[in-house]
Amino acid sequence: MDGGDRVEIEIGRGKRGRRAYGLDEIAIVPSRRTRDPEDVDLTWELGPHKLEMPLLASAMDGVVSPATAIEIGKLGGLGVLNLEGIQSRYEDPDAELRKIAEYPPETATAGLQDIYRARDVDADLMVERIKEIKASGVLTAGSLTPQRVEQFIGPALDAGLDILVIQGTVVSAEHVSSSVEPLNLKQFIADLPVPVIVGGCASYSTALHLMRTGAVGVLVGVGPGAACTTRQVIGVGVPQATAIADAAGARMQHLLETGQYVNVIADGGMAYGGRSEEHTSELQSRQYLVC
């Protein structure tokens, strides 16, 4: 729909909103033409790197370890290691992950906080994990938050990091602060020798501004209703189908302006290839799909 066709609803006096959709609320309509699966090219590019499968494994401690990243890389995808997580805090991260898995629900949050609070990020361990993935011959990707990316990017690059993901719950192209010197995202990305993915975002304008920083990919998803609990905890979120569509629209505008194609990477919001009633109430697993 264009701006004239947009359907708005009234939330309260002086406040209006737009109807948004999650992935479970929409379906793909078959067209008159089909294509043989063998003729479909799923390859995609991140800067100079070409990948065979449009899949990123989320930079979460419960999803990606060095071993997982290696296996995903061998399959043609990209596993993103959380460089500020358990893997970079503990010599034996598996022991800590086993503890987390055994926590009862009523003490899980406090237990997690204790584990992360007990050890800060160790740059030497970070380097070790990156080198472990690198030695396998697959692309090595790691995630850092905007607050700490300048602190750790040096050791990460020296260890052989191929792709950097700058990731937070919500990332903007311009951060304003009266207490700290904010990260200049555009200048920072321009000075790096590796391609950068940034996110998350969930609107047309934010996605467009992030694309203008020089990122090769933008993560889309803020509280989309998958494993992410952002919407439940702080009340911020956009249904994922609408967020993806808006970001894709921003990509088209950016392509017209610059001739540069930016990958739109959906961060969460989908659990199954098709929707079924018994699945909609289950906890959805988090995954990335490139659009």
Side-chain angles (χ1 to χ4, degrees), residues 6 14 21 25 28 66 110 117 120 124 144 154 163 165 196 200 221 227 234 241 282:
R6 180 174 295 178
Y21 296 91
E25 297 177 274
I28 298 173
R117 191 184 298 117
D120 199 359
D124 291 335
L144 290 166
I163 298 169
V165 179
V196 179
I234 63 176
E282 296 179 9

Side-chain angles (χ1 to χ4, degrees), residues 146-163:
Q147 296 88 343
R148 307 188 78 175
V149 66
E150 291 180 297
Q151 178 183 355
F152 292 117
I153 187 59
L157 291 176
D158 290 342
L161 190 74
D162 294 308
I163 298 169

Side-chain angles (χ1 to χ4, degrees), residues 109-209:
T109 299
L112 279 167
Q113 291 171 341
D114 289 341
I115 287 175
Y116 283 89
R117 191 184 298 117
R119 301 277 183 89
D120 199 359
V121 177
D122 185 328
D124 291 335
L125 280 177
M126 179 188 298
V127 167
E128 183 180 326
R129 307 304 183 213
I130 293 173
K131 287 184 175 180
E132 180 181 348
I133 301 172
K134 188 76 173 180
S136 71
V138 304
L139 283 178
T140 305
S143 171
L144 290 166
T145 59
Q147 296 88 343
R148 307 188 78 175
V149 66
E150 291 180 297
Q151 178 183 355
F152 292 117
I153 187 59
L157 291 176
D158 290 342
L161 190 74
D162 294 308
I163 298 169
L164 172 66
V165 179
I166 301 177
Q167 186 172 9
T169 302
V170 178
V171 174
S172 59
E174 182 180 355
H175 180 67
V176 179
S177 173
S178 59
S179 58
V180 297
E181 183 68 27
L183 175 69
N184 185 323
L185 198 57
K186 186 172 184 177
Q187 179 180 335
F188 182 78
I189 291 175
D191 292 339
L192 285 181
V194 298
V196 179
I197 299 170
V198 295
C201 68
S203 70
Y204 174 92
S205 60
T206 305
L208 184 57
H209 283 297

Side-chain angles (χ1 to χ4, degrees), residues 8-274:
E8 293 188 343
I9 58 174
E10 185 173 336
I11 299 172
R13 187 174 293 275
K15 297 292 182 182
R16 293 184 178 275
R18 176 164 59 107
R19 176 70 167 92
Y21 296 91
L23 294 174
D24 278 340
E25 297 177 274
I26 62 174
I28 298 173
V29 178
S31 68
R32 65 179 180 86
R33 178 180 295 172
T34 58
R35 188 176 298 276
D36 192 295
E38 297 299 324
D39 296 333
V40 177
D41 183 7
L42 294 178
T43 60
W44 61 297
E45 296 178 355
L46 281 172
H49 307 297
K50 185 174 183 178
L51 293 96
E52 298 298 320
M53 181 170 61
L55 174 70
L56 274 74
S58 174
M60 299 169 64
D61 281 334
V63 176
V64 177
S65 66
T68 309
I70 291 169
E71 290 304 313
I72 292 173
K74 290 178 178 178
L75 292 171
L78 186 67
V80 183
L81 189 69
N82 179 6
L83 298 180
E84 297 178 41
I86 286 178
Q87 299 289 337
S88 297
R89 294 172 188 256
Y90 290 89
E91 288 280 358
D92 184 9
D94 289 343
E96 304 306 316
L97 291 169
R98 284 193 293 269
K99 289 180 186 177
I100 293 172
E102 294 170 357
Y103 283 138
E106 60 271 15
T107 61
T109 299
L112 279 167
Q113 291 171 341
D114 289 341
I115 287 175
Y116 283 89
R117 191 184 298 117
R119 301 277 183 89
D120 199 359
V121 177
D122 185 328
D124 291 335
L125 280 177
M126 179 188 298
V127 167
E128 183 180 326
R129 307 304 183 213
I130 293 173
K131 287 184 175 180
E132 180 181 348
I133 301 172
K134 188 76 173 180
S136 71
V138 304
L139 283 178
T140 305
S143 171
L144 290 166
T145 59
Q147 296 88 343
R148 307 188 78 175
V149 66
E150 291 180 297
Q151 178 183 355
F152 292 117
I153 187 59
L157 291 176
D158 290 342
L161 190 74
D162 294 308
I163 298 169
L164 172 66
V165 179
I166 301 177
Q167 186 172 9
T169 302
V170 178
V171 174
S172 59
E174 182 180 355
H175 180 67
V176 179
S177 173
S178 59
S179 58
V180 297
E181 183 68 27
L183 175 69
N184 185 323
L185 198 57
K186 186 172 184 177
Q187 179 180 335
F188 182 78
I189 291 175
D191 292 339
L192 285 181
V194 298
V196 179
I197 299 170
V198 295
C201 68
S203 70
Y204 174 92
S205 60
T206 305
L208 184 57
H209 283 297
L210 289 179
M211 292 172 187
R212 288 169 175 168
T213 65
V216 299
V218 173
L219 294 175
V220 179
V222 178
C228 177
T229 58
T230 302
R231 199 186 310 182
Q232 291 89 342
V233 175
I234 63 176
V236 174
V238 176
Q240 190 69 318
T242 295
I244 293 170
D246 285 352
R251 174 172 61 190
M252 291 302 299
Q253 179 62 34
H254 182 71
L255 185 62
L256 288 172
E257 292 177 357
T258 67
Q260 299 295 316
Y261 182 90
V262 178
N263 293 287
V264 172
I265 306 171
D267 177 5
M270 189 186 80
Y272 304 96

